[in-house]
């Protein structure tokens, strides 16, 4: 928990937490994570996409021993909490410390007790899960999964810096991005602990849950074009107010999504141009973040939204277009990893306790990208009041302690299964 506080102090915004991809803050937290990895006997390295990794071999293992990857991400949204992603990376480090996979040098120089594992352990701190800087989420894990798309190099941040330029400024070589890619045979699986980012566990009064799947997501940037005119001189019937079209669109998106079980849409950014008090907005831009438990229902909702936007904009003599900036299919956690997470959680409960909750994640996670190269499993921690992507985001010390024990036990269960 002290390390969560320490990482929270590494921020681009004084008094708030903001740490985006390829920023000086990203470099600083990678250095801290590397130091902590070294402290528990792991060999740290930063990969070609700026993800920070640490690795520890099992006794008798070598660099070619397949690894179980544990971790999450260290980047944040603007004005973030201190646990989303972060606590999962730190829990992974604690699990490695608890298991002391490689043994430990005792005072006599002899290896002390260790847990024999049939795989290496890697801890990963992914560098861009949120997509805050370039709009495209999961850049770090997509590189690790070998899913990099060269079209992304021309994405720009709010200052017009391209992703390619940002790589160079950070000291990374865009030409070597392929070196971040992992091969399926190198990985036993990817296991991530994360706060729930919703209220289900809090409402149930439970600490931990098995994650069954991660919601599919699509993100769009929508532009509405009207005509800028004098705010005083233009009667209503002559206006083509782009902001009113966008506002009506945001309300329609809420109405459509409310009507569809397990699909949720959010307009999180809305801007009017030229943006003056005395000009009817000639252009408006807004973002749409759409999530669904299943790809098909999510896509059907997008079709309904598109039809509705045609109607709204047509009625107001506006034009609209949408650019898709992110798309990720729903990912189902591997049955074996769900089982070991369930066993891990059960090991923290009294004998005879009911099975832990199984919930689907409405939030996105690096496992979405990693699923193309490894089996994925996730453990959720209770998130009091379900508040996340907000400075009040919280997790209790007790739940984190249980989560670490459960995650360590999950690793042991997986080891037993593969032995
Ligand atoms: C990441 O937190 C996301 O789900 O947007
Ligand atoms: Mn997040
Ligand atoms: Mn996250």
């Amino acid at each position: 928990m002290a390390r969560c506080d320490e990482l929270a102090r590494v921020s681009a915004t004084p008094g708030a937490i903001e740490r985006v991809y390829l920023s000086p803050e990203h470099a600083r937290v990678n250095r801290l994570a590397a130091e902590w990895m070294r402290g528990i006997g792991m060999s740290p390295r930063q990969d070609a996409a700026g993800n920070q990794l640490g690795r520890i071999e099992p006794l008798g293992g070598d660099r070619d021993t397949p690894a179980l990857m544990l971790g999450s991400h260290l980047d944040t949204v603007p004005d973030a909490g201190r646990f989303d992603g972060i606590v999962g990376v730190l829990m992974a480090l604690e699990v490695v410390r608890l298991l002391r996979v490689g043994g430990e040098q005792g005072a006599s120089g002899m290896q002390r007790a260790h847990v024999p594992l049939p795989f290496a352990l890697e801890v990963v701190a992914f560098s861009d899960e949120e997509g805050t800087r370039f709009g495209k989420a999961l850049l770090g894990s997509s590189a690790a999964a070998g899913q990099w798309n060269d079209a992304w190099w021309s994405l720009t941040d709010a200052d017009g810096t391209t992703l390619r330029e940002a790589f160079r400024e950070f000291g990374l070589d865009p030409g070597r991005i392929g070196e971040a890619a992992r091969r399926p045979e190198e990985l036993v699986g990817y296991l991530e602990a994360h706060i729930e980012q919703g209220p289900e566990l809090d409402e149930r009064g439970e600490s931990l849950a098995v994650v069954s799947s991660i919601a599919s997501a699509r993100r769009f940037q929508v532009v509405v074009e009207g005509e800028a005119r004098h705010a005083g001189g233009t009667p209503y019937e002559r206006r083509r107010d782009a902001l009113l079209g966008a506002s009506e669109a945001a309300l329609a998106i809420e109405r459509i999504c409310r009507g569809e079980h397990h699909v949720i849409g959010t307009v999180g950014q809305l801007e009017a141009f030229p943006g003056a008090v005395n000009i009817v907005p000639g252009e408006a831009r807004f973002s749409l973040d759409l999530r669904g438990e299943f790809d098909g229902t999510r896509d059907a909702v997008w079709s309904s939204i598109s039809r509705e936007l045609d109607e709204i904009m047509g009625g107001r003599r506006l034009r609209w277009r949408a650019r898709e900036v992110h798309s990720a299919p729903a990912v189902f956690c591997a049955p074996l990893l769900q089982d070991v997470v369930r066993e891990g959680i059960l090991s923290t409960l009294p004998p005879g306790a009911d099975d832990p909750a199984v919930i689907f994640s409405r939030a996105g996670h690096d496992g979405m990208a990693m699923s193309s190269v490894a089996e994925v499993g996730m453990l959720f921690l209770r998130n009091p009041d379900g508040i996340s992507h907000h400075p009040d985001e919280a997790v209790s010390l007790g739940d984190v302690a249980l989560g670490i024990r459960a995650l360590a036990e999950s690793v042991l269960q997986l080891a037993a299964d593969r032995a």
Side-chain angles (χ1 to χ4, degrees):
M1 298 303 261
R3 284 177 175 177
C4 288
D5 294 342
E6 187 169 352
L7 291 169
R9 286 193 288 274
V10 184
S11 170
T13 318
I17 304 172
E18 178 165 354
R19 210 164 43 240
V20 301
Y21 192 33
L22 305 172
S23 62
E25 296 73 39
H26 169 189
R28 276 181 61 199
V29 293
N30 274 12
R31 281 198 296 276
L32 277 172
E35 197 180 295
W36 295 333
M37 287 166 174
R38 218 173 277 115
I40 51 173
M42 304 192 93
S43 314
R45 74 181 172 93
Q46 184 178 274
D47 76 7
N51 300 309
Q52 180 63 45
L53 290 137
R55 182 178 167 100
I56 190 160
E57 315 298 348
L59 282 185
D62 60 28
R63 282 203 329 226
D64 294 327
T65 308
L68 174 66
M69 214 185 226
L70 302 169
S72 188
H73 62 97
L74 291 182
D75 66 306
T76 76
V77 292
D79 204 12
R82 55 186 61 202
F83 302 107
D84 172 2
I86 291 128
V87 78
V89 175
L90 298 175
M91 287 171 65
L93 289 173
E94 277 306 286
V95 166
V96 172
R97 194 180 62 81
L98 274 178
L99 298 179
R100 283 203 293 264
V101 181
E104 210 181 347
Q105 294 291 113
S108 63
M110 297 292 290
Q111 294 280 338
R112 260 205 238 137
H114 65 275
V115 177
L117 291 180
F119 41 72
L121 286 181
E122 289 192 21
V123 171
V124 61
F126 284 117
S127 52
D128 178 60
E129 186 257 13
E130 305 284 7
T132 305
R133 182 166 178 191
F134 293 99
K136 168 82 190 84
L138 306 174
L139 287 172
S141 39
S142 295
Q147 299 291 310
W148 192 266
N149 181 338
D150 282 332
W152 298 339
W153 289 121
S154 53
L155 291 171
T156 50
D157 68 7
D159 297 329
T161 304
T162 64
L163 181 56
R164 184 188 300 278
E165 287 160 352
F167 254 65
R168 296 211 174 100
E169 281 167 18
F170 192 79
L172 291 171
D173 178 355
R176 300 179 70 167
I177 187 70
E179 293 174 19
R182 308 302 297 266
R183 285 175 290 115
E185 55 277 18
E186 295 173 11
L187 299 175
V188 171
Y190 172 69
L191 197 52
E192 170 167 349
H194 202 286
I195 55 167
E196 183 199 336
Q197 306 184 279
E200 198 168 328
L201 277 175
D202 198 31
E203 285 168 358
R204 295 169 71 119
E206 293 170 27
S207 302
L208 306 172
V210 181
V211 177
S212 54
S213 70
I214 309 173
S216 72
R218 292 177 77 176
R219 289 183 184 165
F220 301 89
Q221 292 293 341
V222 182
V223 177
V224 180
E225 284 174 353
E227 187 180 44
R229 279 192 178 235
H230 197 287
T234 314
Y236 278 116
E237 57 276 14
R238 301 194 52 154
R239 291 184 185 216
R240 294 169 56 216
D241 185 326
L243 181 62
L244 291 181
S247 307
E248 214 176 302
L251 292 170
I253 288 165
E254 186 200 18
R255 177 169 41 73
I256 293 167
C257 293
R258 271 179 182 272
E260 189 62 59
H261 194 53
H262 285 178
V263 175
I264 203 153
T266 302
V267 173
Q269 297 168 323
L270 174 60
E271 278 183 294
F273 299 91
V277 285
N278 56 356
I279 303 179
V280 175
E283 183 174 309
R285 295 183 203 158
F286 65 90
S287 61
L288 170 61
D289 175 298
L290 202 57
R291 323 260 178 144
E293 185 172 12
F294 303 106
D295 304 352
T297 36
R298 174 205 63 180
D299 293 344
V301 164
W302 170 240
S303 301
S304 306
I305 290 173
S306 301
R307 281 194 299 275
E308 186 77 20
L309 292 195
D310 282 342
E311 212 149 286
I312 292 169
M313 304 310 168
R316 290 181 171 273
R317 295 180 299 123
L318 302 166
R319 283 201 303 269
W320 76 281
R321 60 178 187 277
R323 187 166 60 89
E324 183 157 13
V325 291
H326 174 67
S327 172
V331 161
F332 294 85
C333 294
L336 173 63
L337 292 179
Q338 290 192 52
D339 280 349
V340 300
V341 171
R342 178 180 306 105
E343 292 299 322
I345 297 173
L346 278 173
S347 76
T348 68
L349 298 174
D354 288 343
D355 267 1
V358 180
I359 56 191
F360 99 90
S361 171
R362 292 158 193 274
H365 299 288
D366 291 298
M368 300 169 93
M370 290 307 288
S371 66
S372 63
V373 76
E375 298 210 310
V376 168
M378 287 192 76
L379 166 85
F380 264 177
L381 279 83
R382 168 167 44 193
N383 178 194
D385 193 35
I387 188 165
S388 179
H389 285 185
H390 185 278
D392 290 347
E393 182 179 271
V395 67
S396 80
L397 178 62
D399 287 351
V400 173
L402 286 176
I404 291 167
R405 278 174 45 204
L407 195 60
E409 184 59 31
S410 307
V411 173
L412 295 177
Q413 289 284 336
L414 187 64
D417 188 82
R418 291 178 61 97

